């Protein structure tokens, strides 16, 4: 049966791997860069790196457990698990979400992954909203989880410095008031080439060893991604504000995908929402792709949010994809 209550976020949680590396790490391993260059051009100071024996589903399950433990609903109410990830445990199948189900000790509920790169978590929230609104389940666990340190060539100064590992999760379900107010999402396939994974040999792994096999590695036209990112986020947020008949001054917080602090500063100026309202963790975790938005949500919600706050979540990334969500905190 379709649910009459508004649909919103009931609880959030996250997990970050124990290993933290700062910008000096790259200089120490012989890369032609400097800590100052990385911080000035990206805003990143440190990032977390997954251990050799951890997989994306491990990070996702720990974030999911954190969301379950922080919430007022029992895991038994969950009807589905969606994992947004660009770094699934297995190429093809099984989905990472099925592995998470097993690790959480749950059975039978629907599980699947979403591939929309750094927009993945926001896309997955919209799917959860649509499913619950249609009555196909009442509660869902939505997770963004990544082990991007395994998708970069650690000798490539243009990309290795940007990415980090981690996972964030949210339980979506009926709320008394507020919840999701509107969505604006899309993709431009013609820009797929500016950020993609290409099979490459002779790459360097995080542990310093060389990988001779062909493996997928991030290739990126940094400047094109920067420009495209700013453009789609600004257009999407303006669309969202217009559809929901709200003004930039009505927004209490913006949680934008954490790709580069200069992207966030540029978006802030262009949409007219002061930068103080942009919640950020990029200095501490770098770009964690699909985990980026739920990590910020989880790290800030307790001290920052009050019931009724108007929050914009906005993801953008490879595809080129984007997804903006207007949420009233419940
Ligand atoms: N250390 C030192 N120099 C570096 C460097 C590094 N880590 N990486 C690149 N450079 C060099 C370049 O080779 C270039 O040198 P050149 O002028 O001699 O050719 C110079 O710095 C300027 O490069 P440029 O690409 O113009 O720098 P930038 O200011 O655009 O910053 C990025 C590069 C990647 C940080 C920035 O473009 C960016 O963040 N883009 C978006 C990436 C992104 O968000 N990806 C994920 C999207 S979800």
């Amino acid at each position: 049966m379709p649910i009459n209550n508004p649909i919103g976020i009931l609880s959030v949680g996250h997990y970050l791997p124990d290993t933290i590396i700062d910008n000096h790490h790259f200089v120490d391993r012989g890369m032609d860069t400097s800590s100052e260059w990385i911080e000035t051009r990206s805003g990143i100071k440190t990032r977390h790196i997954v251990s050799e024996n951890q997989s994306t589903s491990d990070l996702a399950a720990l974030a999911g457990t954190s969301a379950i433990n922080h919430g007022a609903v029992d895991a038994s109410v969950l009807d589905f698990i969606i994992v947004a990830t660009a770094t699934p445990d297995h190429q093809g199948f099984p989905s990472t979400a099925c592995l998470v189900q097993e690790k959480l000790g749950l059975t039978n509920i629907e599980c699947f992954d979403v591939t929309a790169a750094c927009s993945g978590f926001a896309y997955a929230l919209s799917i959860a909203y649509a499913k619950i609104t249609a009555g196909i389940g009442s509660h869902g666990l939505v997770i963004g989880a990544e082990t991007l340190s395994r998708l970069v060539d650690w000798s490539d100064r243009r990309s290795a410095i940007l990415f980090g590992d981690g996972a964030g999760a949210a339980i979506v379900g009926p709320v008394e008031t507020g919840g999701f107010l509107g969505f604006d999402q899309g993709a431009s396939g013609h820009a797929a080439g500016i950020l993609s994974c290409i099979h490459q040999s002779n790459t360097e792994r995080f542990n310093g060893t060389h990988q001779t096999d062909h493996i997928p590695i991030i290739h990126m036209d940094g400047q094109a991604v920067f420009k495209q990112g700013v453009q789609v986020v600004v257009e999407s947020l303006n669309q969202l504000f217009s559809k929901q008949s709200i003004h930039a001054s009505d927004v209490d917080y913006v949680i934008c995908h954490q790709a580069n602090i200069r992207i966030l500063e540029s978006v802030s100026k262009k949409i007219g929402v002061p930068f103080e309202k942009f919640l950020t963790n990029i200095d501490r975790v770098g770009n964690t792709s699909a985990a980026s938005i739920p990590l910020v949500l989880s790290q800030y919600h307790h001290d920052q949010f009050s019931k009724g706050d108007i929050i914009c979540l906005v993801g953008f990334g490879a595809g080129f994809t984007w997804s903006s969500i207007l949420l009233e905190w419940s």
Side-chain angles (χ1 to χ4, degrees):
M1 283 290 289
I3 286 173
N4 292 324
N5 280 57
I7 312 300
I9 291 181
L10 295 166
S11 81
V12 288
H14 71 275
Y15 171 77
L16 287 163
D18 292 339
T19 302
I20 302 174
I21 59 165
D22 64 15
N23 293 340
H24 295 289
H25 171 93
F26 298 94
V27 180
D28 294 345
R29 67 190 294 146
M31 190 182 276
D32 180 14
T33 188
S34 69
S35 177
E36 191 204 353
W37 192 98
I38 299 168
E39 191 178 334
T40 313
R41 299 293 181 106
S42 70
I44 301 166
K45 294 180 187 164
T46 62
R47 69 289 284 146
H48 292 248
I49 305 293
V50 70
S51 68
E52 295 270 348
N53 60 0
Q54 278 180 315
S55 62
T56 297
S57 65
D58 291 325
L59 274 55
L62 288 162
T65 302
S66 161
I68 290 164
N69 290 342
H70 285 118
V73 295
D74 192 78
S76 61
V77 304
L78 294 174
D79 295 306
F80 59 88
I81 300 172
I82 310 175
V83 175
T85 184
T87 47
D89 287 20
H90 297 277
Q91 272 193 359
F93 46 80
S95 72
T96 307
C98 284
L99 305 179
V100 170
Q101 186 211 64
E102 167 73 8
K103 286 174 185 177
L104 293 179
L106 299 171
T107 51
N108 295 331
I109 60 171
E110 177 187 352
C111 295
F112 60 98
D113 291 359
V114 165
T115 305
C118 307
S119 306
F121 181 78
Y123 266 49
L125 282 183
S126 75
I127 296 167
Y129 169 81
K131 282 173 65 61
I132 297 169
T133 304
I136 311 169
S138 67
H139 293 80
L141 177 60
V142 179
I143 305 174
E146 301 286 10
T147 50
L148 288 166
S149 63
R150 296 183 179 144
L151 213 55
V152 291
D153 176 2
W154 280 81
S155 68
D156 179 6
R157 68 176 185 171
R158 292 163 303 168
S159 59
I161 55 151
L162 297 175
F163 298 100
D165 302 327
I171 295 179
V172 177
V175 291
E176 289 299 320
T177 57
F180 296 113
L181 304 177
F183 299 81
D184 178 80
Q185 20 198 32
S188 288
H190 73 85
I194 63 175
L195 179 55
S196 60
C197 288
I198 298 174
H199 278 74
Q200 194 183 318
S201 59
N202 292 324
T203 51
E204 191 175 313
R205 301 189 66 219
F206 173 65
N207 66 12
T209 59
H210 282 266
Q211 179 91 35
T212 48
D213 296 346
H214 279 75
I215 56 164
I217 290 291
I218 295 175
H219 283 256
M220 178 179 72
D221 177 342
Q223 286 194 10
V225 171
F226 192 109
K227 283 186 198 142
Q228 185 81 7
V230 172
Q231 187 186 327
V232 299
V233 168
V234 169
E235 284 173 4
S236 180
L237 285 175
N238 283 332
Q239 279 284 337
L240 187 67
F241 294 168
S242 154
K243 278 194 245 179
Q244 298 304 315
S245 303
I246 69 154
H247 189 263
S249 58
D250 299 325
V251 173
D252 293 299
Y253 297 108
V254 178
I255 299 181
C256 184
H257 167 51
Q258 309 281 299
N260 186 315
I261 198 78
R262 293 184 295 129
I263 293 179
L264 306 186
E265 287 165 353
S266 180
V267 168
S268 157
K269 282 198 192 102
K270 286 179 195 283
I271 63 165
V273 175
F275 192 64
E276 304 82 75
K277 293 187 174 183
F278 279 64
L279 303 180
T280 67
N281 63 2
I282 188 169
D283 57 328
R284 287 158 280 150
V285 303
N287 181 343
T288 57
S289 191
S292 170
I293 290 173
L295 273 170
V296 177
L297 258 179
S298 177
Q299 289 177 326
Y300 278 95
H301 79 100
H302 190 262
D303 296 334
Q304 209 85 25
F305 299 164
S306 304
K307 192 174 174 193
D309 279 350
I310 299 295
I311 301 164
C312 284
L313 311 178
V314 53
F316 67 93
F320 210 86
T321 56
W322 62 88
S323 175
S324 301
I325 299 174
L326 198 65
L327 175 70
E328 183 182 325
W329 195 247
S330 319

